[in-house]
Amino acid sequence: MVVGESHEPDWVAIERSEQFRELQAMRRRFVAVALTIFTLAAGGFFICTGYARGFMAKSVDGPLTVAYTWLLALTLLTWVIAWGYLRFSTRTLAPRAEAIQREFAAAGPGESRDEPRERSRLRPRSEVPR
Amino acid sequence: VTVLAAAHSGRGLSLAIFGLILAITLGISFWASRRIRGASDYWSAGREISGAQNGMAVAGEFLSAAAFLGVSGLIFLSGFDGYLTGIAALMSFVPLLLLLAERMRNAGKYTMTDVLAARLRESPVRVAVAITTLCIAAFYVIAQSVAAGALFEALVGVKFWISVLVTVAAMLAYVVLGGMIATTWVQIIKACLLLGGVATMGIWVLAKYGFSPIHLMRDATAKSGEGSAYNAPGLLFSKPLDEISTGVAFTLGTLGLPHIMMRFLTVTDSRAARRSVGWAVGLIGVFYLFVAVIGFGSRAILGKGGEALAGKGGNLAAPYLAQHLGGGAGTTGGDVFFAVITAVAFATILAVVAGVVLAATGSVAHDLWGGVIRRGKSSEDEEVRVGRVAVVVIGGIGAVLALLAGKSFNVQLLTGLTFAVAASANFPALLLTLTWRRFNTTGAVLGIAVGLVTSIVLIVLSPSVWAGPDSHDGAPFPLTNPAIISIPAGFLACIVGTLLAPKERRASERYEQLLVRAETGIGAERAAAAR
């Protein structure tokens, strides 16, 4: 079910709007920071596994080497970034995206369901799915 | 021979437990087949899957036999390098979440190609991605079938071709009857079984070592005979670039795997897409911690003697560890635990093959048939019919390929090749479509073609294929995994192709639309209930 032609929102207008630019900038900032940290941590790790094997083989605690410690830290980093992004996206980005939807998207077949449940109860009955 | 005879004592039980799993999953397929009323139900489960359910399913899709048998086997054989392949795959969720997950959900429909087709010329892009999807599916089916064949031939004594036929027949039933709904539930059940299995084994092993991972690792290191090299990079990948290349392939491969990307199209909204990634990351991270314990445990407990049992690729270390934990070969406890773990591993293979084939089928029916051959004039029900025929054809081809495949490869390393193909062919085009206004059809098609051809040619020229897995002769290409060359090649071709071709009006006009849709979810397809 594609957006019906008659309800086609004005994409360019949305893209140029203040709100959309702000939403995009916020997301890009978060992604840039998180991706940089991740790339340094993971890229540094991979390079060291290849070219700093003596360092990676150093013992931290018995059989627990630098290599293992770094790998465990990357597991933790993956969890932290995932948790952080999900939190940021849900609390900061989603409300803004919903505001843009409310302002610009034509109601009707093209409307997305990406709204919190409380709000869907407030919609007129005819618009509530099924 | 005595080893195999001992293994066969659990055969009847393995088959019975496996039969039970098969019966339950087939039952789900029949239940799902009655709920399918249209194309959206078939391809994206009516977009009714919740975040937690989808997270389990993503984890299920992701945790193949390679992740369980392959990674634990590699840790058993070569310690640190084995664990690296597992965690590199887990790390792929960071770029996946930051760059693609929600946007895929918002802008896609049934397959990942829909995102590309939203602003590029449909026919060439759909053909290109459909070809890579089929290649990836073929590689994946080979890898999983190698696991199935090795598992069943060695452990349960069933001939290789029979286990392949059973795998393919069950997979056909799931996909033909139940589409995405059945495949999702099969994934969820399998994820629960697999997580339960590895958790039980992991805790059991740790209990033997007073819940001290350091004790366990110390014992494993001693038994490995490799000394401190067992806990450092280099045992499996002697060439530095090989280690880096394999790591990069696993870290970026997920972003081009059609069956994983397709998972984000089944959820109710972008919130559910995010939540499912959260669930998947948590579950998969915990899974790999247990798999590490199982890998060390099999080395520490089975010792050097375990190498004969585990096979050349190490794929069977985990089931034999289970047998040992249960009391050893010939004891009831040993037989039961062995049977359970074998059956879980087989359920895993079935589920992953079903997911991959469903994605390939979607590509044939929706992209090739609907988008190119019928140029959008086919009805959606027609696409579902074509899809069901395509499943049977793809399943048949998969069975033939599986019967031709070798068995001495480690399944995780075979999967690494699939990831390399996916990361080189699909990921550059997908990322640039969503981020680069100037990007056009020529760039996408050239990038996909170069990524696909480079990665496959380099795999063919690599030591393990060109000279054979046992040979130490030189090969034209020195690395076993091509990702470090083929991913940049894919990106470069995308950029060169784009700049060489004249500006494409539709591609840049539609950029705003795709950007807005991906970012806000405006115009995203609603849940089936709203149709």
Side-chain angles (χ1 to χ4, degrees):
Chain A
M1 190 170 43
V2 189
V3 185
E5 290 299 322
S6 53
H7 300 285
E8 189 82 27
D10 186 350
W11 302 110
V12 178
I14 302 175
E15 204 265 341
R16 291 197 180 139
S17 69
E18 192 83 11
Q19 298 98 304
F20 183 79
R21 290 282 158 98
E22 190 196 326
L23 168 74
Q24 217 186 5
M26 291 178 79
R27 213 180 66 86
R28 283 188 176 161
R29 214 175 307 134
F30 188 98
V31 168
V33 172
L35 214 53
T36 309
I37 296 173
F38 175 77
T39 309
L40 289 177
F45 171 78
F46 285 131
I47 290 169
C48 286
T49 56
Y51 295 102
R53 288 182 167 171
F55 167 68
M56 295 300 259
K58 277 204 171 68
S59 168
V60 173
D61 178 11
L64 189 71
T65 53
V66 172
Y68 275 124
T69 316
W70 200 337
L71 205 55
L72 288 175
L74 283 172
T75 306
L76 275 182
L77 181 70
T78 302
W79 276 336
V80 169
I81 291 181
W83 176 79
Y85 180 78
L86 295 175
R87 202 179 130 100
F88 170 73
S89 183
T90 308
R91 295 193 176 185
T92 313
L93 298 182
R96 283 177 169 76
E98 283 154 16
I100 294 174
Q101 276 183 30
R102 274 197 303 279
E103 189 168 337
F104 290 96
E111 193 181 29
S112 164
R113 245 178 53 131
D114 290 4
E115 292 174 41
R117 272 164 224 283
E118 314 84 80
R119 193 159 296 120
S120 70
R121 263 193 272 120
L122 297 176
R123 276 196 254 164
R125 192 145 259 282
S126 61
E127 276 184 50
V128 176
R130 189 150 50 186
Chain B
V1 179
T2 48
V3 168
L4 284 181
H8 289 180
S9 58
R11 171 182 176 170
L13 204 59
S14 284
L15 289 177
I17 294 175
F18 169 63
L20 186 69
I21 293 177
L22 204 61
I24 293 171
T25 47
L26 285 176
I28 288 171
S29 299
F30 283 112
W31 165 78
S33 70
R34 306 234 311 266
R35 292 189 39 176
I36 292 181
R37 287 180 300 265
S40 175
D41 289 334
Y42 188 81
W43 300 119
S44 55
R47 294 219 172 203
E48 279 176 323
I49 306 289
S50 79
Q53 287 167 349
N54 198 55
M56 293 290 285
V58 172
E61 202 86 69
F62 204 81
L63 300 175
S64 60
F68 175 40
L69 301 178
V71 175
S72 59
L74 283 178
I75 297 174
F76 168 78
L77 289 176
S78 42
F80 173 81
D81 282 351
Y83 195 30
L84 174 135
T85 63
I87 300 300
L90 169 72
M91 291 194 302
S92 70
F93 276 91
V94 172
L96 180 66
L97 185 58
L98 294 178
L99 297 173
L100 293 180
E102 290 169 81
R103 302 207 246 177
M104 285 295 299
R105 190 283 159 190
N106 285 339
K109 197 179 179 199
Y110 297 150
T111 64
M112 60 192 271
T113 328
D114 293 332
V115 176
L116 299 176
R119 61 179 281 233
L120 305 175
R121 283 205 304 281
E122 281 212 28
S123 301
V125 171
R126 287 198 191 272
V127 171
V129 180
I131 291 171
T132 59
T133 302
L134 290 175
C135 288
I136 290 166
F139 268 94
Y140 229 99
V141 170
I142 294 173
Q144 298 299 317
S145 308
V146 166
L151 198 68
F152 261 58
E153 200 167 4
L155 303 183
V156 198
V158 175
K159 287 241 165 25
F160 183 62
W161 67 269
I162 297 179
S163 80
V164 168
L165 289 188
V166 172
T167 311
V168 171
M171 176 275 295
L172 287 180
Y174 301 155
V175 179
V176 171
L177 289 175
M180 189 50 117
I181 301 178
T183 307
T184 302
W185 281 104
V186 168
Q187 295 298 359
I188 293 173
I189 291 174
K190 157 260 168 111
C192 293
L193 286 174
L194 188 59
L195 285 163
V198 295
T200 312
M201 280 182 79
I203 292 169
W204 203 328
V205 168
L206 279 176
K208 281 184 176 276
Y209 286 87
F211 290 97
S212 160
I214 296 282
H215 272 184
L216 171 64
M217 286 171 76
R218 195 167 280 144
D219 196 22
T221 311
K223 298 270 177 61
S224 73
E226 301 283 354
S228 57
Y230 186 68
N231 298 317
L235 264 194
L236 179 62
F237 307 107
S238 52
K239 294 191 191 77
L241 262 186
D242 224 0
E243 181 128 35
I244 296 173
S245 193
T246 307
V248 170
F250 278 110
T251 308
L252 293 179
T254 313
L255 285 79
L257 285 177
H259 62 295
I260 305 266
M261 301 313 290
M262 201 174 171
R263 280 261 148 241
F264 295 108
L265 305 177
T266 60
V267 290
T268 48
D269 52 33
S270 57
R271 193 163 299 218
R274 290 191 295 271
R275 194 166 294 157
S276 61
V277 177
W279 272 92
V281 172
L283 292 173
I284 295 170
V286 171
F287 171 87
Y288 277 119
L289 290 178
F290 281 124
V291 164
V293 171
I294 292 171
F296 292 131
S298 48
R299 178 48 87 182
I301 292 169
L302 300 176
K304 269 279 179 213
E307 281 176 23
L309 292 171
K312 213 156 40 196
N315 295 327
L316 303 179
Y320 280 108
L321 176 65
Q323 188 182 47
H324 193 98
L325 288 173
T331 65
T332 313
D335 284 349
V336 170
F337 203 22
F338 178 81
V340 169
I341 293 299
T342 312
V344 166
F346 200 71
T348 295
I349 293 168
L350 273 180
V352 169
V353 170
V356 172
V357 170
L358 181 66
T361 307
S363 217
V364 169
H366 181 61
D367 297 333
L368 283 185
W369 181 265
V372 178
I373 296 174
R374 301 268 301 182
R375 297 197 174 265
K377 291 196 192 85
S378 59
S379 71
E380 300 211 316
D381 291 337
E382 181 184 329
E383 285 180 20
V384 172
R385 278 199 302 278
V386 171
R388 285 178 162 148
V389 174
V391 184
V392 178
V393 175
I394 294 169
I397 295 172
V400 172
L401 285 175
L403 291 172
L404 296 172
K407 275 172 277 177
S408 59
F409 288 102
N410 178 285
V411 285
Q412 172 78 348
L413 296 180
L414 269 182
T415 308
L417 301 181
T418 320
F419 276 56
V421 174
S424 317
N426 289 341
F427 169 55
L430 210 48
L431 185 66
L432 292 175
T433 304
L434 286 166
T435 52
W436 192 22
R437 184 185 300 266
R438 175 82 164 82
F439 194 53
N440 59 30
T441 311
T442 316
V445 171
L446 193 67
I448 291 168
V450 168
L452 181 70
V453 171
T454 314
S455 53
I456 289 181
V457 166
L458 291 182
I459 288 170
V460 171
L461 297 180
S462 74
S464 51
V465 178
W466 187 260
D470 305 320
S471 169
H472 293 285
D473 297 343
F477 181 67
L479 305 179
T480 51
N481 192 302
I484 194 107
I485 307 289
S486 56
I487 296 174
F491 270 105
L492 198 68
C494 277
I495 294 168
V496 169
T498 301
L499 296 179
L500 285 182
K503 284 217 168 77
E504 201 175 300
R505 264 189 59 208
R506 183 172 178 263
S508 67
E509 276 173 11
R510 292 276 190 114
Y511 179 70
E512 278 88 6
Q513 176 179 350
L514 182 64
L515 207 60
V516 172
R517 279 174 52 200
E519 202 90 45
T520 63
I522 296 175
E525 182 162 346
R526 283 190 281 174
R531 279 183 302 136

